[in-house]
Amino acid sequence: MSAPAISLQQVSKVYQTDRVETTALDQINLTIPQGEFVSIMGPSGCGKSTLLNLMGLLDAPSDGDIQILGQQVAHLKEKQLATIRNLKIGFVFQSFHLVPDLSVLDNVEIPLLYRSVSSSARRQAARDALERVGLKARMSHYPTQLSGGQQQRVAIARAIVGQPAILFADEPTGNLDSQMGKEILSILNDLNQQSGTTIVMVTHDQHQAEQTGRIIRIHDGQMIH
Amino acid sequence: MLMHLFRLIWNRKLSNLLIILELTLAFVVLYFVSATALHLWSMYNRPLGFEWQSHYSMTINQGAEASESDMERLNGMIDRLEQRSDIDWVHIVKQALFQNWHWSTSINHEGDYIQTYMNTLSDGAAEDLGVTLLSGRFFNEGDAGQAWLPVLINRAVSERLFGEGVDPLGQNINPPSEDQPDQEQTEYRVIGVIEDFRQSGEFWGDEYYVLARFDTSRNDTFANSLVIRPQDGLSATFEASLLQEMTQMAPSWNITVRPLADYRQDRIRSVMTPIILSGIVAGFLLLMVAFGLFGVLWQNVTRRTHELGLRRALGASAADIFKQITIEMMLVASFAIVLGTLITIQFTLLGTFSSLNWMTTIKGSVLAAVVLLMLVAICTLYPGWIASRKQPADALRYE
Ligand SMILES: Nc1ncnc2c1ncn2[C@@H]1O[C@H](COP(=O)(O)OP(=O)(O)OP(=O)(O)O)[C@@H](O)[C@H]1O
Ligand SMILES: [Mg+2]
């Protein structure tokens, strides 16, 4: 049996600001097998983004163990973490995070800049990814020239261009109307079913969450069973 | 990666243009500072062409009553000095060394005119002062009574007037002008080529120099300056006894005896003082430019914390980020260096500053470019390091 895509043991995250200590996550235990499509739900401020950031290796936990595809990450060097992020993980952010000074194609190719890929193969992969999200025609546009839904699809193309094993999506449809939301969700579903990509998605939309394999509910930094 | 960065720089041309302008300004300032420093340094390191370390300069002010017997009296004094057992030699160097006495004149060879500095030295002076002879010979008594005056020219004059193919020895310079036959001109004959004779010291910038023979047997001449070499080096007692003896021989003359080393010090000081002052001003200017640069580059990097965090989230390591920032800034700085060079070359082309020859220009540009790149590296790497140390999640939250 292959290792789980993600496994968390007693993971906590405490934010230290000037005087206040915020416990954003409190001893989370969670295992997500490879190929699963999981949604995370919970009220605002409960720690969903924090959880996603920890699983996506964008931040370090205050306590506990994280394993990605069977690999313990606690003692990995910065460089090794970057390699895992680059090769195994794709991330879609709630607020897109596109580089405004780069064209759509240039934005999408970014993850491949940090691999040894020839420039022509890189551009080809970026075009393919854009095709998958139905935006090939907009490749030389700039992010500001796109609608919100189009921008989010560019962000998805960028997340999948490197064919990651795991895709994290933090409220990918949060800023979009329901029609656009549906389209995004169907792209993610296809990805999960056709490529077997493990997907972890934060959402506020009960209806969307029900279309995924499992719903994880969080309240005040703790999982509710 | 490079193309990606090129597109990024190009798309940010407006903000990069400001940085490039700031860097260009810095380059031009750096260029002038380094070109000046290099020029001074190369002047300082060029051989003087004569020795001064253990010599005295004796200068004479005859006062109001200059008379025909002055030269006789001077010859008597030289005889007396030569008889002293504590003196190696005494020579006339008419334009005193390291002092503000200059004789500048125009000479020509076959109609090719140059303006040169000159000096007249008595027999033996050149060899005793350690002047380097490249070819020919020094002056001697046999040179007296000729229709022409024997001269030694320095390498620069030789190369300028005679070039590669012609042997300057025996050539006449400054012959009687044919279109103005009535104008009396002294004819000089080159009897030797010397390396150099930088009369006023290390910061003597002029290239051309000619030494003529001082004829002590003539009465219609005089020299106000002697160089004396004592046997046992410089000493206050020697100085005092010399002055006393000379003043006794010519009570009406105002005689000064002082080591050449002192005059040289004065000379260096008088050149260095304004240079140090302007160096301080240039230093402050550079400091301000450096601060400005630091501010601009720092802001440029922090403004991009978000982008850099995003790149890390997508798999760039801190080292990749570092590399990207460095390459980007080096590209931008190279633009500024090219632009700055186009500006600074104009000064050389127009000959605005005589000290800017092509060698100094090239060396100065290279030095300025190296310093600028180092400055840029320091000013970018530190904020870059700070930006890359942030957790990607923190950097992404940064607006
Ligand atoms: N960088 C930070 N510094 C301090 N506190 C933080 C930081 N990031 C998050 N928090 C706190 O941690 C808690 C969880 O935040 P998080 O962003 O994970 O919530 P969320 O569930 O994603 O909320 P939302 O649905 O509004 O996006 C909140 O109380 C928040 O104030
Ligand atoms: Mg959130």
Side-chain angles (χ1 to χ4, degrees), chain A residues 58-208:
Chain A
L58 301 186
D59 209 348
S62 313
D63 204 4
D65 284 333
I66 299 175
Q67 285 181 32
I68 301 294
L69 297 165
Q71 181 160 33
Q72 186 83 36
V73 300
H75 303 296
L76 291 184
K77 296 204 174 67
E78 182 273 336
K79 172 97 188 147
Q80 295 166 306
L81 290 175
T83 305
I84 297 178
R85 280 198 295 268
N86 189 232
L87 297 177
K88 306 292 185 203
I89 294 173
F91 222 105
V92 178
F93 307 92
Q94 183 173 0
S95 47
F96 319 144
H97 290 328
L98 299 176
V99 182
D101 296 317
L102 288 176
S103 70
V104 164
L105 191 65
D106 283 334
N107 263 286
V108 173
E109 74 168 0
I110 291 178
L112 300 183
L113 290 171
Y114 307 105
R115 298 184 186 182
S116 42
V117 179
S118 78
S119 129
S120 57
R122 194 168 70 217
R123 313 268 311 158
Q124 190 52 50
R127 276 192 287 267
D128 290 347
L130 280 167
E131 183 147 37
R132 271 176 99 166
V133 299
L135 272 181
K136 207 176 175 201
R138 306 277 169 158
M139 162 170 105
S140 49
H141 282 58
Y142 284 82
T144 47
Q145 300 166 329
L146 300 179
S147 74
Q150 288 168 331
Q151 291 187 43
Q152 193 59 297
R153 281 189 280 160
V154 174
I156 292 174
R158 183 180 61 192
I160 64 175
V161 72
Q163 297 178 323
I166 309 168
L167 182 73
F168 296 102
D170 193 351
E171 300 187 47
T173 60
N175 289 331
L176 310 175
D177 64 29
S178 60
Q179 179 56 37
M180 206 67 240
K182 264 187 201 147
E183 276 183 38
I184 300 279
L185 199 68
S186 88
I187 293 172
L188 294 182
N189 259 320
D190 285 353
L191 199 67
N192 176 244
Q193 262 138 46
Q194 287 165 18
S195 316
T197 310
T198 309
I199 301 181
V200 183
M201 175 180 75
V202 172
T203 182
H204 281 294
D205 187 326
Q206 180 70 32
H207 179 69
Q208 274 185 4

